Amino acid sequence: MKIWRFPSTTSSSRAFRYPLGMTRPGLGANDEHNAEPLSELAEAMLASAPPASIPVPLNAVFSPVVRALARRRNKGAIADALRRNRVSVRNTDHEGSDVTELISRDHPRTEDDDYLVYVHGGAFVVGEPVDSISIGLTASTGLTCFSLHYGLAPGTRFPSSLHQIEKAWDAVTSGRSGRPVLVATSAGANLALGVLQQLLLRDDAAAPLPAAVVLFSPAADLHEFDSARLVNEGLDPVVKWHGMLDKALPAYLDGHDPDDPRASPIMGDFTGLTVPTLLVTAGRDLLRPDVLSLARRLEHQGVPIEVDDAAGLWHAYQQVPTPETAASLERVRRFVSTHLSA
């Protein structure tokens, strides 16, 4: 397994191989002792850790309020990303599935071209089809991005969201001659892994497997967090267990057994998946232990895995416009380009 380690913004062009599971003392539970300083923007973000708790129950009354607050908080970042990148956005319907298309104005594309299929994050309770990652990757790769919509908890619970994403994947990919690249973030990556499991079980080839997979901080394990998985609790400025995920995950699971591999893909069987897969995490990412455990499991099952593990940064840090984000998206662009050219 190839592990990419990037201790500073100056090392974006180098790839390092480390034994999986190496611990790194220093700035945080998983940061390198000799890590170079981060950018001022990244340091300012880290200074906000830990994030605020969700102050209300995630029920039918309060969850729309939580989503509205999250949308208001992220509105400026999304508008800024659209100003900085020449990307057009339009909402479309694909055989009954709502899909937002992001199109690079600098790289006109046709139906025959390769494309991205994106699933946004948000702990299953918030999030938008258009976010900074989908915008940035559309601009950097030049590929059209089809961002899939799905219902949010508690209005839409497991496994309904998974079924929606599988249906949308079929609708977007069937009949297209270009090759899809599956990209997803956090909770969206959980759904993407669930769809990959379902595709492997199929006998027909109507909906293709992706040509490559990129997962940012995938939420692969929906079991209650134990001490081994909480090494970055309080260090990650974006997500935490106590007061956040301990509310969001039950709202999504609705009593369903997290042992179900469709709910916790880390329990799943991906034998036969030969798609090059990149898992992206960071030193202070709350989900880093899960990402590395997922990488080990996938590698054991024969999946070609690479891990991009950036020191000092946090969960899905690519949502914030820092120099570290630009370097990360460039690494992802090279990964996608390499495997589409193979």
Side-chain angles (χ1 to χ4, degrees), residues 11 65 114 321:
S11 57
V65 177
D114 300 330

Side-chain angles (χ1 to χ4, degrees), residues 272-295:
L273 183 66
T274 58
V275 176
T277 300
L278 176 63
L279 306 182
V280 184
T281 186
R284 299 194 187 194
D285 182 1
L286 179 71
L287 300 189
R288 183 178 183 272
D290 294 350
V291 176
L292 297 184
S293 294
L294 175 66

Side-chain angles (χ1 to χ4, degrees), residues 93-97 167 170-172 174:
D93 179 278
H94 287 254
E95 300 178 13
S97 293
K167 178 185 176 184
D170 289 349
V172 168
S174 60

Side-chain angles (χ1 to χ4, degrees), residues 21-106:
M22 172 180 283
T23 57
R24 305 184 304 283
L27 296 174
N30 296 307
D31 285 319
E32 295 218 16
H33 180 67
N34 61 346
E36 298 177 21
L38 300 173
S39 67
E40 290 185 7
L41 288 172
E43 292 286 6
M45 184 69 185
L46 289 171
S48 68
S53 297
I54 299 173
V56 294
L58 287 174
N59 55 30
V61 174
F62 289 111
S63 57
V65 177
V66 173
R67 282 195 284 275
L69 291 173
R71 189 177 297 115
R72 182 183 304 171
R73 184 174 63 247
N74 296 328
K75 183 178 180 180
I78 294 170
D80 180 65
L82 287 171
R83 281 193 298 268
R84 289 184 290 103
N85 298 280
R86 291 174 50 79
V87 172
S88 299
V89 176
R90 66 178 184 181
N91 293 323
T92 59
D93 179 278
H94 287 254
E95 300 178 13
S97 293
D98 292 329
V99 177
T100 296
E101 295 183 19
L102 295 88
I103 304 165
S104 170
R105 296 198 294 273
D106 294 327

Side-chain angles (χ1 to χ4, degrees), residues 180-335:
V181 174
L182 179 58
V183 184
T185 299
S186 194
N190 174 288
L191 299 172
L193 287 164
V195 169
L196 285 173
Q197 292 181 82
Q198 297 304 111
L199 292 175
L200 288 171
L201 294 173
R202 292 185 181 181
D203 294 327
D204 65 271
L209 285 167
V213 175
V214 179
L215 304 178
F216 294 91
S217 300
D221 188 347
L222 300 193
H223 291 86
E224 183 174 343
F225 278 47
D226 58 22
S227 58
R229 298 171 64 201
L230 286 172
V231 292
N232 282 331
E233 179 82 338
L235 300 176
D236 191 321
V238 169
V239 66
K240 62 181 180 179
W241 170 253
H242 296 288
M244 186 178 287
L245 294 186
D246 61 348
K247 292 185 176 182
L249 299 191
Y252 172 65
L253 287 173
D254 191 29
H256 199 93
D257 188 353
D259 282 347
D260 187 329
R262 297 173 302 163
S264 295
I266 200 166
M267 310 290 291
D269 184 0
F270 293 87
T271 303
L273 183 66
T274 58
V275 176
T277 300
L278 176 63
L279 306 182
V280 184
T281 186
R284 299 194 187 194
D285 182 1
L286 179 71
L287 300 189
R288 183 178 183 272
D290 294 350
V291 176
L292 297 184
S293 294
L294 175 66
R296 293 189 193 96
R297 183 172 181 88
L298 293 179
E299 182 185 41
H300 179 73
Q301 294 175 354
V303 181
I305 283 289
E306 299 183 37
V307 178
D308 183 333
D309 188 13
L313 302 171
W314 57 89
H315 180 78
Y317 66 90
Q318 296 82 2
Q319 299 279 16
V320 179
T322 65
E324 291 85 356
T325 286
S328 174
L329 294 184
E330 172 57 19
R331 296 194 296 270
V332 172
R333 184 201 65 77
R334 291 202 301 267
F335 175 85

Side-chain angles (χ1 to χ4, degrees), residues 154-170:
T156 305
R157 304 176 186 264
F158 176 85
S160 296
S161 298
L162 176 59
H163 294 160
Q164 291 174 358
I165 293 299
E166 185 178 6
K167 178 185 176 184
W169 172 267
D170 289 349

